[in-house]
Amino acid sequence: MSREAFIVGTGRGIPEKILTNADLEKIVDTSDAWITERTGIKFRHMTDESTSTSDIALLAAQNAMESAGWSAADVQCIILATVTPDYPFPATACLIADRLGLSRVPAWDFEAGCSGFVYGLIQAKAFIEAGFFDRMLVIGADCLTKITNWKDRASCVLFGDGAGAVAVSSQGPGGRLGGYHWGSDGAISDLLIQHGGGSKHPASHETVDAAMHTIAMNGSETFKHAVRAMRDACMKALEMEGLDKSEVDLLISHQANWRIIDATARALSLKPEQVYVNIDRYGNTSAASIPIALDEVARGGLLSPPKRLVTAAFGAGLTWAAMVLSWKA
Ligand code: UT7
């Protein structure tokens, strides 16, 4: 029988500090009513000055390992999706591996914006099914508030910090990593971009003065592409799994805007109770949003009875990805 990959543990790491819409009203010309109505966000969590992506990613990884019943010796590989690594290099995954006490395992970061975690699941599926590894940790973690432009009301109200992780094994039972779809379109990369700090515009006084180290986003254009790409990605992932949309129990979408989640749910003809939404409490946590939601679903008992989930994400690149996760036989 061919090899398969299963989610056997989940975890999250959430900074304690909370930033409410009322707090934002004091920073930019906005209102709780606008943010709530246009995005669904009520508050988000935020790291303090002494906390970075590796700190919350470590917590998420520890929780995922604990829920899988794994010790450090069990982990054979660790991958991290992030656009806010601790440093440009070395990879934050290496720092996390060290703090977890993992023994010289392969560890690397990759970035696919908010689609990063689902990109990570697809990588884990490939590596495990091909026999490279039996047990991997996949983490999505971001501290977007560290690269937020607090003068741009159109974007600064959206983001929060957080981390989520899953333990993926060649041995079930668990959530089988099933049909998937992923893609990108670099022709529209300027819709969502951090201009400064890379080799194109290395950090300088000028790049700092021009706010080039913070997120620049064309929200309404990104919105349109997000709705289309997430719908198409879900349909293609279901097709690969040989499923009809009527066979989906629960949608776990990237939490960028409740209106995007709602549009994706409508495209799949899902009822409100079949859609997991936590954007009100987290905002957009980028690569962390899906694994945080998965952990809440798992720990909240929502996988009992076993369910068939679809995850879908969209983000900078532009990138998109979807995957079917089956807790059902
Ligand atoms: O994570 C993956 C990538 N990111 C996304 O998927 C984000 C996708 N985009 C969005 O979620 C939405 O486009 C936003 C929430 C960013 C914006 O919502 P929108 O309904 O597309 O608003 P808009 O940009 O069309 O702006 C409508 C109005 C404008 O005012 P006027 O020109 O109509 O007078 C904006 O200036 O809302 C104004 N506005 C605000 N007003 C109060 C924009 N931001 C704010 C704000 N508070 N924070």
Side-chain angles (χ1 to χ4, degrees):
M1 181 156 160
S2 58
R3 287 170 62 91
E4 294 186 314
F6 303 88
I7 293 176
V8 296
T10 63
R12 63 183 187 268
I14 309 298
E16 275 177 26
K17 186 176 164 191
I18 279 176
L19 186 71
T20 65
N21 291 348
D23 295 330
L24 284 162
E25 286 175 356
K26 293 175 198 144
I27 301 173
V28 283
D29 179 16
T30 191
S31 66
D32 174 48
W34 191 95
I35 301 170
T36 305
E37 188 189 320
R38 306 305 293 168
T39 73
I41 302 165
K42 295 302 286 183
F43 62 87
R44 65 290 286 146
H45 293 256
M46 201 178 165
T47 44
D48 59 25
E49 277 177 15
S50 64
T51 307
S52 61
T53 297
S54 66
D55 297 311
I56 53 176
L58 177 73
L59 268 180
Q62 285 168 331
N63 290 334
M65 286 169 64
E66 193 185 328
S67 87
W70 288 2
S71 67
D74 292 316
V75 180
Q76 297 170 329
C77 175
I78 177 168
I79 60 176
L80 169 69
T82 188
V83 294
T84 51
D86 282 19
Y87 309 103
F89 70 87
T92 302
C94 299
L95 311 179
I96 300 165
D98 174 56
R99 289 172 70 185
L100 285 170
L102 306 188
S103 175
R104 296 179 174 272
V105 301
W108 66 91
D109 295 358
F110 58 96
E111 64 163 79
C114 305
S115 311
F117 178 75
V118 185
Y119 265 57
L121 287 182
I122 296 169
Q123 292 177 64
K125 176 180 167 71
F127 278 111
I128 286 180
E129 289 185 356
F132 280 72
F133 307 113
D134 282 312
R135 289 172 301 280
M136 292 177 68
L137 278 179
V138 181
I139 311 173
D142 269 308
C143 293
L144 288 189
T145 68
K146 306 265 187 187
I147 56 165
T148 293
N149 180 348
W150 296 104
K151 292 184 177 154
D152 177 19
R153 70 172 182 172
S155 67
C156 77
V157 301
L158 303 175
F159 307 122
D161 300 338
V166 292
V168 185
S169 171
S170 59
Q171 302 298 316
R176 186 178 54 79
L177 307 191
Y180 62 89
H181 179 75
W182 53 348
S184 73
D185 185 357
I188 43 176
S189 55
D190 59 343
L191 293 182
L192 182 47
I193 190 165
Q194 181 183 340
H195 285 102
S199 57
K200 184 92 172 165
H201 302 290
S204 66
H205 290 293
E206 288 74 26
T207 60
V208 172
D209 291 345
M212 289 170 70
H213 297 274
T214 53
I215 298 168
M217 182 173 78
N218 179 332
S220 51
E221 276 305 306
T222 305
F223 188 107
K224 285 181 214 154
H225 288 287
V227 169
R228 198 176 316 123
M230 295 224 298
R231 179 196 60 207
D232 292 352
C234 285
M235 295 305 185
K236 286 180 178 152
L238 286 170
E239 191 183 327
M240 184 175 178
E241 185 73 5
L243 290 176
D244 182 76
K245 61 184 184 178
S246 62
E247 294 171 279
V248 174
D249 296 318
L250 190 66
L251 169 69
I252 298 193
S253 163
H254 170 50
Q255 311 279 312
N257 186 317
W258 77 265
R259 292 182 289 142
I260 298 175
I261 302 170
D262 186 54
T264 309
R266 283 174 196 273
L268 294 177
S269 308
L270 294 174
K271 302 187 193 90
E273 60 270 27
Q274 293 178 292
V275 185
Y276 193 76
V277 180
N278 64 10
I279 190 171
D280 51 325
R281 295 175 282 120
Y282 292 104
N284 180 349
T285 57
S286 185
S289 83
I290 288 178
I292 290 173
L294 254 182
D295 188 52
E296 289 192 342
V297 163
R299 288 173 195 262
L302 298 179
L303 293 175
S304 168
K307 292 201 174 47
R308 192 174 286 126
L309 273 54
V310 174
T311 59
F314 180 85
L318 298 179
T319 57
W320 54 86
M323 183 178 251
V324 177
L325 304 174
S326 292
W327 267 264
K328 280 183 172 167

